[in-house]
Amino acid sequence: EVQLVESGGGLVQPGGSLRLSCAASGFTFSSYDMHWVRQATGKGLEWVSAIGTAGDTYYPGSVKGRFTISRENAKNSLYLQMNSLRAGDTAVYYCARGYGIRGNNWFDPWGQGTLVTVSS
Amino acid sequence: SYELTQPLSVSVALGQTARITCGGNNIGSKNVHWYQQKPGQAPVLVIYRDSNRPSGIPERFSGSNSGNTATLTISRAQAGDEADYYCQVWDSSDVVFGGGTKLTVL
């Protein structure tokens, strides 16, 4: 069974840092692009970052320079290092497998999410 | 930046057909993917590349994409179809989601 399990969420003060992890199982992790998508409470989905099989990374402007996505294929793990956190970064963070060709991925499956709360 | 526009809400009578639209400039030239999200759960892919159903998704779910509008159609709507639905495309190297549509089955 293909499975993604996020961890590392929690309460952090504005300006602080947090590292999220996503453990993958049930598929050849190294062969797939991987993504982080977040969702603030009661709001829609927002793409946060992507990493290709070769380690190439992509970010939207809202997090570029503050967030870093990485992967460790030997551990079937995906990470998101979040620095300079703001209240607006408060959300549930999902990891998702990217399926299909580069630049046209769809997301399947998604993990259950981990909640990040940025507050003093 | 590219924008996708979805109606905030759509209502459908039990057993009838629901259509959820996703509008974008020349969206017909892009591949559109659709996700279903029930309260407290992670999103689930229901349609990929405009009109393809993943395994396990009922045939009642279908999709189309042309011009400036992509449409997710849910036939014979059931109570269990009540959820938020999101469309998604790629624009250059960015992933774009629609704002989401809440489907209510009456």
Side-chain angles (χ1 to χ4, degrees), chain A residues 33-35 47 49-51 58 98-99 101-107, chain B residues 2 4 29-33 35 88-97:
Chain A
D33 296 347
M34 295 295 297
H35 300 259
W47 173 69
S49 60
I51 187 166
Y58 307 87
Y99 215 96
I101 64 172
R102 175 70 49 77
N104 194 25
N105 284 176
W106 54 92
F107 303 137
Chain B
Y2 194 80
L4 295 174
S29 66
K30 300 180 182 295
N31 288 143
V32 180
H33 318 299
Y35 304 90
Q88 176 242 316
V89 301
W90 281 78
D91 179 58
S92 298
S93 298
D94 285 341
V95 175
V96 181
F97 287 99

Side-chain angles (χ1 to χ4, degrees), chain A residues 10-106:
Chain A
L11 175 64
V12 61
Q13 292 189 341
S17 298
L18 206 59
R19 189 195 197 207
L20 306 183
S21 300
C22 172
S25 60
F27 65 101
T28 305
F29 179 74
S30 60
S31 297
Y32 290 87
D33 296 347
M34 295 295 297
H35 300 259
W36 289 97
V37 178
R38 68 185 179 185
Q39 184 174 37
T41 301
K43 302 297 185 182
L45 302 171
E46 180 186 14
W47 173 69
V48 172
S49 60
I51 187 166
T53 56
D56 45 315
T57 58
Y58 307 87
Y59 307 92
S62 57
V63 306
K64 202 167 191 176
R66 298 190 300 123
F67 290 11
T68 302
I69 188 173
S70 61
R71 65 192 301 162
E72 191 168 357
N73 290 337
K75 293 187 175 181
N76 291 334
S77 292
L78 177 72
Y79 306 102
L80 184 66
Q81 177 68 43
M82 303 185 295
N83 298 329
S84 303
L85 283 163
R86 310 163 178 167
D89 296 318
T90 295
V92 173
Y93 284 72
Y94 297 100
C95 69
R97 182 179 67 173
Y99 215 96
I101 64 172
R102 175 70 49 77
N104 194 25
N105 284 176
W106 54 92

Side-chain angles (χ1 to χ4, degrees), chain B residues 6 20 35-36 61 72 74 81 83-87 100-101 103:
Chain B
Q6 295 183 238
I20 299 172
Y35 304 90
Q36 175 194 69
F61 287 80
L72 173 68
I74 305 171
D81 297 333
D84 294 327
Y85 291 85
Y86 295 90
C87 56
T101 298
L103 177 68

